[in-house]
C-alpha cells in the first residue's frame, strides 16, 4: 500500500474506497428494502419498522463501532511490520464481539417491552416494532462476528472481498423480504415483521461466508486466525476497548440523535412518521458515501501513521475530505431535482410522498455537514486519536442538536420539520470542531517527526 506520488495515492484511495462504498450501499440497501417493502404493505408496517429500526440502528452502529476498533490496530501492525501479532488481536476481537452480542440480547429482553409501551404508538405499529426486533435478535451475534472479520479483511486492503460477500447476500435479503413480508410461495404473510426475519437470516449468511474466507482463502489464511484459539485476554480486550469504545460512542451519539428524533416524532400522526422515516432512510443511504470514505481513511491514514510517514497520512486526509465535500454538493443538486421521484419510491400515498419530498430538502443541508465530519473522524481514527471526537460528537448532537430541534419543533410553526433544523445545527457544529481537531493532530505529528530527526 506504500505510495510515493499524489496520483498513486488517488489510485490507492479508490482501490480501497470503491469496494467499501459498494459494501456500505449493499448493507444500507437491506435497511432500504426493509423500509420500502414494508411501506408497500401498509403505512402501519412502515411506521412499525421505522420505530424498530430507530431503536436498533444506534445500538448496532455504536457497538459495531467498538468492534471496528480492530481496523486501526491491524493497520498499525501492518505499517510497523508486526504481522505476527495480528492473529491474536483478531481472535480476541471475535471473543469481544460474542460478549457484546450476549449483553445486547440480555438488555433487549429486559428493556424492549417497557420502552415500546412507554411510547404513544398505535397498537398495530407497536406490535410490528416489537416482533420486528425480536426476529432481528437472532442475527445479533453473527452480525458482530461479521463486523470483526470484515474489519480485519478491510485492514489488509482486501476490500473487494468484503464487497463481494455483501453483494451476494443482498439479493438473498430482498428475496426473503418478498417471501415473508407478502407471504409468497406458501410462506406466512408477516408484514414488517418478515423484514426482521429476512435481515437476521442475512446476517448469518454473511458471517458464515466471511468465516470461510478468513480460514481458507489467501491472503487471509496465512495469518492463521483460527490456527490457535487462545484464552480470553482481558489485557487485549482493554487495548481494543481503549480504541473501540470512543469510536463506538462517537458513532452512537451521531446515529442515536436520528433515532431520538424519530421517537420524539411519535407524537405526530402515522403519515408524518412514515414520511420522516422514508426521507431519513434515503438520507442514510447517501450517508454511506462519507462513511465509506471514513473507513478508507482509517485504513490508509492508519497504515501511513503506523509507518511514521506523516506527510503521506496528511495527503490522504485532504484527498478523502475534499472528495467527500465535492460529492455532497453534487448529491444536493440531485435531491433538489428528483425529490418527488425519490419520495414516490417509498410510498404510493400522496400525502406521504409530499411530506417526504419536503423532508428531503432539509436532508441536503445535514448531508453536506456529514461530508466533512464523517471522513474527518476516519482520519482521526487512523491517527488513533479517538477520545476528543467522542466529546465533540456528544456536545454537538446531544447538547446542541437535540435541544435546538425540540425547541424549534415545539415552539415554532415548523412542527416536525423543526427537529431537522436541530439536526442541521448539531452536525454543522460537529463538523467544524472535528476539522479543527484534525488540524491540531496533524500539526502535532509534524512536530514530533521534526523532533525525532
Amino acid at each position: 500500500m506504500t505510495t510515493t506520488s499524489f496520483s498513486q495515492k488517488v489510485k490507492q484511495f479508490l482501490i480501497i474506497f470503491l469496494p467499501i462504498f459498494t459494501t456500505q450501499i449493499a448493507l444500507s440497501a437491506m435497511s432500504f428494502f426493509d423500509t420500502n417493502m414494508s411501506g408497500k404493505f401498509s403505512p402501519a408496517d412502515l411506521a412499525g419498522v421505522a420505530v424498530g429500526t430507530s431503536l436498533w440502528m444506534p445500538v448496532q452502529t455504536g457497538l459495531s463501532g467498538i468492534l471496528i476498533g480492530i481496523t486501526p490496530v491491524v493497520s498499525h501492525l501492518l505499517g510497523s511490520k508486526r504481522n505476527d501479532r495480528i492473529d491474536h488481536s483478531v481472535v480476541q476481537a471475535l471473543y469481544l464481539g460474542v460478549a457484546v452480542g450476549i449483553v445486547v440480547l440480555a438488555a433487549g429482553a429486559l428493556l424492549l417491552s417497557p420502552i415500546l409501551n412507554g411510547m404513544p404508538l398505535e397498537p398495530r405499529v407497536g406490535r410490528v416494532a416489537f416482533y420486528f426486533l425480536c426476529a432481528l435478535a437472532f442475527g445479533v451475534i453473527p452480525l458482530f462476528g461479521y463486523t470483526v472479520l470484515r474489519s480485519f479483511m478491510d485492514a489488509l486492503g482486501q476490500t473487494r472481498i468484503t464487497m463481494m460477500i455483501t453483494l451476494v447476500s443482498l439479493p438473498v435479503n430482498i428475496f426473503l423480504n418478498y417471501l415473508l413480508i407478502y407471504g409468497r410461495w406458501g410462506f406466512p404473510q408477516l408484514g414488517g415483521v418478515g423484514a426482521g426475519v429476512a435481515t437476521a437470516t442475512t446476517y448469518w449468511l454473511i458471517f458464515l461466508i466471511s468465516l470461510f474466507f478468513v480460514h481458507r482463502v489467501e491472503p487471509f489464511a496465512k495469518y492463521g486466525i483460527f490456527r490457535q484459539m487462545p484464552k480470553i485476554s482481558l489485557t487485549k480486550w482493554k487495548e481494543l476497548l481503549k480504541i473501540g469504545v470512543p469510536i463506538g460512542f462517537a458513532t452512537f451519539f451521531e446515529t442515536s440523535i436520528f433515532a431520538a428524533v424519530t421517537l420524539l416524532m411519535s407524537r405526530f400522526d402515522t403519515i408524518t412518521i412514515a414520511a420522516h422515516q422514508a426521507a431519513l432512510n434515503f438520507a442514510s443511504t447517501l450517508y454511506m458515501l462519507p462513511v465509506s470514505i471514513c473507513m478508507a481513511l482509517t485504513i490508509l491514514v492508519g497504515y501511513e501513521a503506523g509507518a511514521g510517514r506523516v506527510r503521506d497520512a496528511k495527503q490522504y486526509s485532504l484527498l478523502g475530505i475534499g472528495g467527500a465535500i465535492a460529492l455532497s454538493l453534487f448529491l444536493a443538486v440531485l435531491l433538489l431535482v428528483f425529490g418527488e421521484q425519490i419520495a414516490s419510491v417509498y410510498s404510493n400515498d400522496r400525502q406521504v410522498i409530499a411530506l417526504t419530498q419536503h423532508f428531503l430538502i432539509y436532508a441536503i443541508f445535514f448531508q453536506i455537514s456529514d461530508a466533512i465530519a464523517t471522513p474527518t473522524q476516519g482520519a482521526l481514527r487512523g491517527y488513533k486519536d479517538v477520545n476528543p471526537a467522542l466529546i465533540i460528537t456528544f456536545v454537538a448532537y446531544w447538547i446542541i442538536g437535540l435541544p435546538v430541534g425540540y425547541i424549534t419543533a415545539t415552539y415554532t410553526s415548523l412542527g416536525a420539520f423543526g427537529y431537522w433544523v436541530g439536526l442541521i445545527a448539531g452536525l454543522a457544529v460537529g463538523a467544524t470542531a472535528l476539522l479543527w481537531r484534525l488540524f491540531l493532530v496533524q500539526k502535532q505529528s509534524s512536530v514530533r517527526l521534526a523532533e525525532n530527526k
Side-chain angles (χ1 to χ4, degrees):
M1 287 197 298
T2 304
T3 56
T4 56
S5 67
F6 187 74
S7 61
Q8 288 179 334
K9 284 181 172 58
V10 172
K11 182 179 179 181
Q12 184 62 51
F13 176 82
L14 292 174
I15 288 172
I16 299 294
F17 162 72
L18 289 175
I20 290 177
F21 179 55
T22 305
T23 300
Q24 289 300 123
I25 287 293
L27 288 171
S28 176
M30 292 183 193
S31 175
F32 167 81
F33 282 108
D34 286 350
T35 304
N36 175 267
M37 297 174 79
S38 298
K40 298 293 184 181
F41 188 80
S42 79
D45 282 79
L46 173 58
V49 171
V51 171
T53 300
S54 296
L55 290 171
W56 166 238
M57 287 306 293
V59 175
Q60 176 199 330
T61 54
L63 295 178
S64 293
I66 294 175
L67 302 174
I68 285 172
I70 191 65
T71 301
V73 170
V74 172
S75 293
H76 272 253
L77 290 173
L78 286 170
S80 57
K81 310 299 181 186
R82 291 178 290 172
N83 295 10
D84 58 312
R85 301 186 184 183
I86 291 175
D87 60 330
H88 182 68
S89 296
V90 174
V91 171
Q92 293 300 323
L94 280 170
Y95 290 161
L96 183 59
V98 173
V100 168
I102 292 171
V103 170
V104 169
L105 293 176
L110 292 173
L111 301 175
L112 180 57
S113 290
I115 289 172
L116 289 174
N117 290 337
M119 296 171 61
L121 298 172
E122 295 178 8
R124 184 179 171 186
V125 173
R127 284 196 301 272
V128 171
F130 178 80
Y131 288 109
F132 170 81
L133 290 170
C134 287
L136 207 60
F138 288 96
V140 166
I141 290 178
L143 172 65
F144 290 154
Y146 165 72
T147 300
V148 172
L149 296 178
R150 179 194 168 189
S151 298
F152 161 63
M153 290 187 279
D154 285 349
L156 298 181
Q158 300 295 322
T159 53
R160 285 173 291 182
I161 300 298
T162 52
M163 175 188 73
M164 293 305 300
I165 292 171
T166 311
L167 287 178
V168 166
S169 67
L170 179 58
V172 174
N173 178 257
I174 297 171
F175 182 62
L176 289 174
N177 270 346
Y178 175 75
L179 295 180
L180 296 170
I181 292 175
Y182 305 118
R184 308 301 189 197
W185 295 10
F187 282 82
Q189 188 182 71
L190 300 178
V193 178
V197 177
T199 301
T201 305
T202 306
Y203 288 160
W204 273 104
L205 176 65
I206 56 180
F207 171 65
L208 293 174
I209 295 174
S210 299
L211 207 61
F212 171 79
F213 269 84
V214 169
H215 185 50
R216 291 298 186 96
V217 178
E218 296 295 346
F220 316 113
K222 72 179 181 181
Y223 292 94
I225 301 300
F226 302 110
R227 195 172 298 149
Q228 299 180 39
M229 297 301 289
K231 295 180 180 178
I232 291 173
S233 169
L234 296 181
T235 302
K236 193 65 185 180
W237 280 24
K238 183 179 178 181
E239 178 191 342
L240 292 169
L241 290 171
K242 186 177 180 181
I243 297 174
V245 167
I247 293 175
F249 271 96
T251 305
F252 173 80
F253 290 143
E254 184 170 0
T255 55
S256 61
I257 190 72
F258 295 99
V261 167
T262 297
L263 298 179
L264 286 170
M265 287 185 65
S266 62
R267 65 188 175 94
F268 295 98
D269 59 81
T270 299
I271 295 295
T272 302
I273 297 174
H276 161 81
Q277 182 59 24
L280 191 57
N281 182 265
F282 187 77
S284 298
T285 303
L286 294 183
Y287 179 64
M288 293 305 103
L289 181 60
V291 85
S292 300
I293 294 175
C294 167
M295 296 171 74
L297 288 181
T298 299
I299 295 166
L300 294 166
V301 173
Y303 182 79
E304 300 295 352
R309 292 188 289 267
V310 175
R311 178 174 172 273
D312 297 270
K314 185 175 182 179
Q315 286 183 339
Y316 273 125
S317 301
L318 293 172
L319 174 63
I321 297 168
I325 293 171
L327 287 169
S328 72
L329 294 174
F330 172 73
L331 291 172
V333 174
L334 291 183
L335 280 173
L336 284 172
V337 175
F338 298 107
E340 184 176 355
Q341 290 85 341
I342 293 168
S344 63
V345 169
Y346 286 89
S347 178
N348 298 321
D349 188 294
R350 294 310 305 175
Q351 284 182 288
V352 173
I353 291 172
L355 271 176
T356 302
Q357 188 178 359
H358 200 159
F359 278 122
L360 287 173
I361 300 298
Y362 290 89
I364 290 173
F365 296 97
F366 70 71
Q367 66 101 16
I368 292 174
S369 294
D370 271 333
I372 300 171
T374 307
T376 302
Q377 285 193 65
L380 288 170
R381 292 169 190 174
Y383 287 108
K384 288 189 174 180
D385 186 84
V386 292
N387 289 318
L390 167 65
I391 298 169
I392 290 169
T393 51
F394 174 72
V395 172
Y397 304 143
W398 285 90
I399 304 301
I400 297 174
L402 190 61
V404 169
Y406 179 80
I407 292 168
T408 309
T410 306
Y411 300 106
T412 74
S413 59
L414 286 172
F417 300 110
Y419 285 114
W420 287 59
V421 172
L423 293 175
I424 293 166
L427 286 167
V429 171
T432 304
L434 287 166
L435 204 57
W436 178 248
R437 178 62 190 175
L438 178 61
F439 171 76
L440 293 178
V441 169
Q442 290 176 338
K443 186 177 180 180
Q444 291 166 3
S445 298
S446 299
V447 170
R448 283 194 299 265
L449 180 65
E451 290 175 348
N452 292 334
K453 286 186 177 180

